[in-house]
mmCIF file of all heavy atoms in Angstrom:
data_model
loop_
_atom_site.group_PDB
_atom_site.id
_atom_site.type_symbol
_atom_site.label_atom_id
_atom_site.label_comp_id
_atom_site.label_asym_id
_atom_site.label_seq_id
_atom_site.Cartn_x
_atom_site.Cartn_y
_atom_site.Cartn_z
ATOM 1 N N SER Y 992 -1.330 -1.818 -2.439
ATOM 2 C CA SER Y 992 -0.973 -2.866 -3.387
ATOM 3 C C SER Y 992 0.451 -2.591 -3.857
ATOM 4 O O SER Y 992 0.777 -1.460 -4.214
ATOM 5 C CB SER Y 992 -1.925 -2.868 -4.574
ATOM 6 O OG SER Y 992 -1.581 -3.895 -5.470
ATOM 7 N N GLY Y 993 1.264 -3.625 -3.838
ATOM 8 C CA GLY Y 993 2.656 -3.435 -4.243
ATOM 9 C C GLY Y 993 3.342 -2.462 -3.308
ATOM 10 O O GLY Y 993 3.464 -2.715 -2.122
ATOM 11 N N THR Y 994 3.745 -1.319 -3.822
ATOM 12 C CA THR Y 994 4.350 -0.263 -3.008
ATOM 13 C C THR Y 994 3.553 1.040 -3.116
ATOM 14 O O THR Y 994 4.045 2.108 -2.777
ATOM 15 C CB THR Y 994 5.800 -0.001 -3.445
ATOM 16 O OG1 THR Y 994 5.813 0.387 -4.821
ATOM 17 C CG2 THR Y 994 6.680 -1.214 -3.219
ATOM 18 N N ILE Y 995 2.307 0.944 -3.601
ATOM 19 C CA ILE Y 995 1.466 2.124 -3.797
ATOM 20 C C ILE Y 995 0.251 2.060 -2.870
ATOM 21 O O ILE Y 995 -0.413 1.034 -2.761
ATOM 22 C CB ILE Y 995 0.967 2.227 -5.261
ATOM 23 C CG1 ILE Y 995 2.142 2.262 -6.235
ATOM 24 C CG2 ILE Y 995 0.059 3.434 -5.458
ATOM 25 C CD1 ILE Y 995 3.025 3.486 -6.136
ATOM 26 N N ALA Y 996 -0.018 3.189 -2.230
ATOM 27 C CA ALA Y 996 -1.229 3.347 -1.417
ATOM 28 C C ALA Y 996 -2.112 4.374 -2.107
ATOM 29 O O ALA Y 996 -1.626 5.265 -2.807
ATOM 30 C CB ALA Y 996 -0.876 3.829 -0.013
ATOM 31 N N SER Y 997 -3.408 4.254 -1.896
ATOM 32 C CA SER Y 997 -4.360 5.185 -2.475
ATOM 33 C C SER Y 997 -5.320 5.656 -1.384
ATOM 34 O O SER Y 997 -5.997 4.845 -0.763
ATOM 35 C CB SER Y 997 -5.144 4.495 -3.595
ATOM 36 O OG SER Y 997 -6.239 5.283 -3.988
ATOM 37 N N PHE Y 998 -5.353 6.967 -1.141
ATOM 38 C CA PHE Y 998 -6.328 7.574 -0.247
ATOM 39 C C PHE Y 998 -7.523 7.983 -1.098
ATOM 40 O O PHE Y 998 -7.356 8.634 -2.126
ATOM 41 C CB PHE Y 998 -5.764 8.854 0.396
ATOM 42 C CG PHE Y 998 -4.654 8.636 1.365
ATOM 43 C CD1 PHE Y 998 -3.339 8.571 0.943
ATOM 44 C CD2 PHE Y 998 -4.926 8.538 2.724
ATOM 45 C CE1 PHE Y 998 -2.304 8.398 1.845
ATOM 46 C CE2 PHE Y 998 -3.895 8.360 3.637
ATOM 47 C CZ PHE Y 998 -2.585 8.296 3.196
ATOM 48 N N ARG Y 999 -8.726 7.614 -0.684
ATOM 49 C CA ARG Y 999 -9.922 8.002 -1.430
ATOM 50 C C ARG Y 999 -10.931 8.644 -0.497
ATOM 51 O O ARG Y 999 -11.148 8.189 0.621
ATOM 52 C CB ARG Y 999 -10.549 6.786 -2.116
ATOM 53 C CG ARG Y 999 -9.746 6.298 -3.285
ATOM 54 C CD ARG Y 999 -10.391 5.136 -4.017
ATOM 55 N NE ARG Y 999 -10.900 4.062 -3.181
ATOM 56 C CZ ARG Y 999 -10.157 3.147 -2.550
ATOM 57 N NH1 ARG Y 999 -8.855 3.208 -2.628
ATOM 58 N NH2 ARG Y 999 -10.708 2.204 -1.845
ATOM 59 N N SER Y 1000 -11.555 9.700 -1.000
ATOM 60 C CA SER Y 1000 -12.628 10.377 -0.292
ATOM 61 C C SER Y 1000 -13.894 10.221 -1.137
ATOM 62 O O SER Y 1000 -13.888 10.533 -2.333
ATOM 63 C CB SER Y 1000 -12.282 11.859 -0.109
ATOM 64 O OG SER Y 1000 -13.311 12.522 0.568
ATOM 65 N N ILE Y 1001 -14.963 9.711 -0.512
ATOM 66 C CA ILE Y 1001 -16.219 9.426 -1.212
ATOM 67 C C ILE Y 1001 -17.312 10.359 -0.689
ATOM 68 O O ILE Y 1001 -17.403 10.591 0.512
ATOM 69 C CB ILE Y 1001 -16.657 7.963 -0.976
ATOM 70 C CG1 ILE Y 1001 -15.534 6.977 -1.307
ATOM 71 C CG2 ILE Y 1001 -17.937 7.628 -1.723
ATOM 72 C CD1 ILE Y 1001 -15.135 6.918 -2.741
ATOM 73 N N SER Y 1002 -18.138 10.871 -1.587
ATOM 74 C CA SER Y 1002 -19.276 11.695 -1.201
ATOM 75 C C SER Y 1002 -20.457 11.322 -2.092
ATOM 76 O O SER Y 1002 -20.312 11.284 -3.322
ATOM 77 C CB SER Y 1002 -18.932 13.181 -1.363
ATOM 78 O OG SER Y 1002 -20.031 13.988 -1.023
ATOM 79 N N ASP Y 1003 -21.612 11.037 -1.494
ATOM 80 C CA ASP Y 1003 -22.813 10.622 -2.253
ATOM 81 C C ASP Y 1003 -22.511 9.469 -3.205
ATOM 82 O O ASP Y 1003 -22.898 9.479 -4.360
ATOM 83 C CB ASP Y 1003 -23.404 11.808 -3.024
ATOM 84 C CG ASP Y 1003 -23.864 12.919 -2.116
ATOM 85 O OD1 ASP Y 1003 -24.419 12.610 -1.038
ATOM 86 O OD2 ASP Y 1003 -23.659 14.105 -2.468
ATOM 87 N N ASN Y 1004 -21.772 8.483 -2.700
ATOM 88 C CA ASN Y 1004 -21.388 7.295 -3.472
ATOM 89 C C ASN Y 1004 -20.567 7.612 -4.722
ATOM 90 O O ASN Y 1004 -20.515 6.806 -5.646
ATOM 91 C CB ASN Y 1004 -22.617 6.454 -3.843
ATOM 92 C CG ASN Y 1004 -23.244 5.823 -2.628
ATOM 93 O OD1 ASN Y 1004 -22.545 5.438 -1.694
ATOM 94 N ND2 ASN Y 1004 -24.562 5.718 -2.625
ATOM 95 N N GLN Y 1005 -19.942 8.766 -4.762
ATOM 96 C CA GLN Y 1005 -19.092 9.162 -5.879
ATOM 97 C C GLN Y 1005 -17.695 9.471 -5.354
ATOM 98 O O GLN Y 1005 -17.545 9.986 -4.248
ATOM 99 C CB GLN Y 1005 -19.645 10.420 -6.576
ATOM 100 C CG GLN Y 1005 -21.015 10.239 -7.199
ATOM 101 C CD GLN Y 1005 -20.967 9.334 -8.412
ATOM 102 O OE1 GLN Y 1005 -20.019 9.378 -9.196
ATOM 103 N NE2 GLN Y 1005 -21.975 8.501 -8.575
ATOM 104 N N LEU Y 1006 -16.692 9.180 -6.155
ATOM 105 C CA LEU Y 1006 -15.314 9.502 -5.790
ATOM 106 C C LEU Y 1006 -15.151 11.016 -5.796
ATOM 107 O O LEU Y 1006 -15.320 11.673 -6.814
ATOM 108 C CB LEU Y 1006 -14.332 8.858 -6.775
ATOM 109 C CG LEU Y 1006 -12.853 9.103 -6.516
ATOM 110 C CD1 LEU Y 1006 -12.427 8.499 -5.181
ATOM 111 C CD2 LEU Y 1006 -12.021 8.534 -7.646
ATOM 112 N N LYS Y 1007 -14.859 11.559 -4.636
ATOM 113 C CA LYS Y 1007 -14.663 13.009 -4.490
ATOM 114 C C LYS Y 1007 -13.221 13.380 -4.820
ATOM 115 O O LYS Y 1007 -12.956 14.317 -5.554
ATOM 116 C CB LYS Y 1007 -15.021 13.423 -3.073
ATOM 117 C CG LYS Y 1007 -14.899 14.871 -2.763
ATOM 118 C CD LYS Y 1007 -15.382 15.120 -1.333
ATOM 119 C CE LYS Y 1007 -14.659 16.266 -0.694
ATOM 120 N NZ LYS Y 1007 -14.981 16.403 0.716
ATOM 121 N N SER Y 1008 -12.276 12.635 -4.257
ATOM 122 C CA SER Y 1008 -10.866 12.867 -4.561
ATOM 123 C C SER Y 1008 -10.054 11.617 -4.250
ATOM 124 O O SER Y 1008 -10.468 10.769 -3.464
ATOM 125 C CB SER Y 1008 -10.325 14.073 -3.786
ATOM 126 O OG SER Y 1008 -10.487 13.888 -2.406
ATOM 127 N N GLU Y 1009 -8.895 11.538 -4.896
ATOM 128 C CA GLU Y 1009 -8.006 10.394 -4.694
ATOM 129 C C GLU Y 1009 -6.564 10.881 -4.747
ATOM 130 O O GLU Y 1009 -6.205 11.678 -5.605
ATOM 131 C CB GLU Y 1009 -8.250 9.337 -5.767
ATOM 132 C CG GLU Y 1009 -7.435 8.091 -5.604
ATOM 133 C CD GLU Y 1009 -7.860 6.989 -6.562
ATOM 134 O OE1 GLU Y 1009 -8.289 7.283 -7.694
ATOM 135 O OE2 GLU Y 1009 -7.744 5.816 -6.159
ATOM 136 N N VAL Y 1010 -5.765 10.406 -3.810
ATOM 137 C CA VAL Y 1010 -4.352 10.767 -3.731
ATOM 138 C C VAL Y 1010 -3.548 9.479 -3.622
ATOM 139 O O VAL Y 1010 -3.906 8.579 -2.858
ATOM 140 C CB VAL Y 1010 -4.078 11.676 -2.510
ATOM 141 C CG1 VAL Y 1010 -2.590 11.906 -2.328
ATOM 142 C CG2 VAL Y 1010 -4.818 12.994 -2.654
ATOM 143 N N PHE Y 1011 -2.469 9.406 -4.372
ATOM 144 C CA PHE Y 1011 -1.607 8.232 -4.352
ATOM 145 C C PHE Y 1011 -0.355 8.507 -3.530
ATOM 146 O O PHE Y 1011 0.096 9.646 -3.418
ATOM 147 C CB PHE Y 1011 -1.211 7.831 -5.771
ATOM 148 C CG PHE Y 1011 -2.373 7.365 -6.594
ATOM 149 C CD1 PHE Y 1011 -3.031 8.244 -7.437
ATOM 150 C CD2 PHE Y 1011 -2.817 6.060 -6.495
ATOM 151 C CE1 PHE Y 1011 -4.124 7.825 -8.181
ATOM 152 C CE2 PHE Y 1011 -3.905 5.626 -7.231
ATOM 153 C CZ PHE Y 1011 -4.568 6.519 -8.083
ATOM 154 N N ALA Y 1012 0.189 7.455 -2.960
ATOM 155 C CA ALA Y 1012 1.408 7.569 -2.165
ATOM 156 C C ALA Y 1012 2.266 6.333 -2.381
ATOM 157 O O ALA Y 1012 1.746 5.233 -2.569
ATOM 158 C CB ALA Y 1012 1.062 7.702 -0.682
#
Side-chain angles (χ1 to χ4, degrees):
S992 181
T994 59
I995 303 294
S997 168
F998 292 87
R999 288 183 314 286
S1000 180
I1001 308 294
S1002 179
D1003 298 321
N1004 292 325
Q1005 298 290 322
L1006 180 63
K1007 181 176 149 188
S1008 58
E1009 183 171 33
V1010 173
F1011 294 96

